[in-house]
Amino acid sequence: MTWRASVLTLFTEMFPGPLGHSLAGRALAEGRWALGTVNIRDFATDRHRSVDDTPFGGGAGMVMRPDVVDAAMVSVADGRPLVYLTPRGRPFRQEDAKRLAAAPGVVLLCGRYEGVDQRVIEARGCEEVSVGDYVLSGGELAAMAVLDAVVRLLPGVMGAPASAEEESFAEPLLEYPHYTRPAEWQGRRVPDVLLSGHHAAIAAWRRAEAERITRARRPDLWARHVSAACAAIVSKSGTP
Ligand SMILES: C[S@@+](CC[C@H](N)C(=O)[O-])C[C@H]1O[C@@H](n2cnc3c(N)ncnc32)[C@H](O)[C@@H]1O
């Protein structure tokens, strides 16, 4: 069955956008996944087609109404995971991309203004997901990032399955650096080991670089990597 994404948004014209190009675009054209958009405004009930209102408790900005958003959700809900993109959410990780790729598809809710009334998020059991510690003006770019990360994991989308296994985050490690021709460029040489043809030495160098870069740039990932490695040693030795 085709993996299906539905995006609830006030800006349906933004889609497929970048998802219509390159890997994701080719896969879309080949029918390896399907993308539908739902205009939340189509579910407004007043003559002004309002989707938002002022926040209870006061404060700046507007909040998307639960009744309007809920009606939009009901129009597509069919058991697929529901995801609300929000900077308040759990960080979106490669393991989430894998999990969603294994599901029949996803429904993504894009907020605007100050966000969506919390009651509809809770009532519908939406997962709250963030694409980073910064504030975008809407959920659409976040939804595109999530979809791009998921779609490339769908069967047949990426040329070489091995590349997904070696990429950053496949383990909690960033990837080693890449080099191509020319072997010397502006006085900078490619590391000799990569020209050696010695596969075991290349693998060891790449592993050491991945660990060095992860330790320096992402202490959080490094800590996860170390604790996973310790757990593996303990379970191998049979010691609790
Ligand atoms: C201007 S933001 C609202 C920010 C909100 N008032 C806050 O401070 O958490 C409008 C919408 O953009 C989306 N958005 C913004 N930053 C995001 C992020 N880092 N990850 C996922 N979605 C984001 C959400 O859908 C959000 O409802």
Side-chain angles (χ1 to χ4, degrees):
M1 261 226 313
T2 307
W3 192 89
R4 285 182 313 116
S6 300
V7 181
L8 313 184
T9 168
L10 291 172
F11 296 95
T12 52
E13 65 280 13
M14 289 171 89
F15 291 87
L19 298 171
H21 298 267
S22 188
L23 209 66
R26 231 177 0 253
L28 191 57
E30 289 168 359
R32 295 188 193 277
W33 69 293
L35 174 65
T37 52
V38 174
N39 192 335
I40 297 170
R41 200 171 294 283
D42 289 345
F43 296 85
T45 50
D46 65 353
R47 64 193 177 88
H48 301 295
R49 303 184 73 214
S50 324
V51 294
D52 56 330
D53 211 325
T54 52
F56 281 126
M62 301 293 274
V63 176
M64 292 174 73
R65 292 175 54 117
D67 49 347
V68 178
V69 170
D70 190 53
M73 272 192 186
V74 166
S75 77
V76 288
D78 56 3
R80 283 173 291 166
L82 298 171
V83 172
Y84 171 44
L85 286 318
T86 166
R88 301 175 57 238
R90 264 190 323 100
F92 184 71
R93 292 194 168 140
Q94 189 64 17
E95 60 237 38
D96 298 306
K98 277 192 199 153
R99 178 171 50 83
L100 290 179
V106 70
V107 177
L108 296 165
L109 169 62
C110 304
R112 282 271 156 180
Y113 319 116
E114 290 308 315
V116 175
D117 186 304
Q118 192 62 27
R119 290 168 295 177
V120 65
I121 304 302
E122 287 167 13
R124 291 281 157 204
C126 295
E127 244 183 89
E128 297 185 59
V129 164
S130 164
V131 294
D133 291 343
Y134 43 80
V135 179
L136 301 167
S137 40
E140 290 76 12
L141 290 177
M144 287 175 194
V146 166
L147 286 176
D148 189 81
V150 174
V151 162
R152 61 200 294 286
L153 300 180
L154 297 176
V157 173
M158 258 195 287
S163 57
E165 282 151 32
E166 282 179 18
E167 282 181 317
S168 296
F169 312 115
E171 276 186 274
L173 285 179
L174 302 179
E175 204 185 37
Y176 52 81
H178 298 279
Y179 302 90
T180 185
R181 289 186 183 81
E184 183 163 339
W185 173 75
Q186 295 194 351
R188 292 166 184 269
R189 268 189 66 72
V190 167
D192 286 338
V193 63
L194 298 181
L195 308 175
S196 69
H198 191 306
H199 296 302
I202 291 171
W205 179 87
R206 286 179 166 166
R207 180 74 185 186
E209 279 295 285
E211 292 185 355
R212 180 184 66 78
I213 291 164
T214 306
R215 208 165 42 230
R217 297 185 184 170
R218 292 289 302 274
D220 58 323
L221 285 183
W222 181 247
R224 277 173 60 202
H225 172 67
V226 169
S227 76
C230 290
I233 291 166
V234 168
S235 91
K236 235 186 204 165
S237 72
T239 322

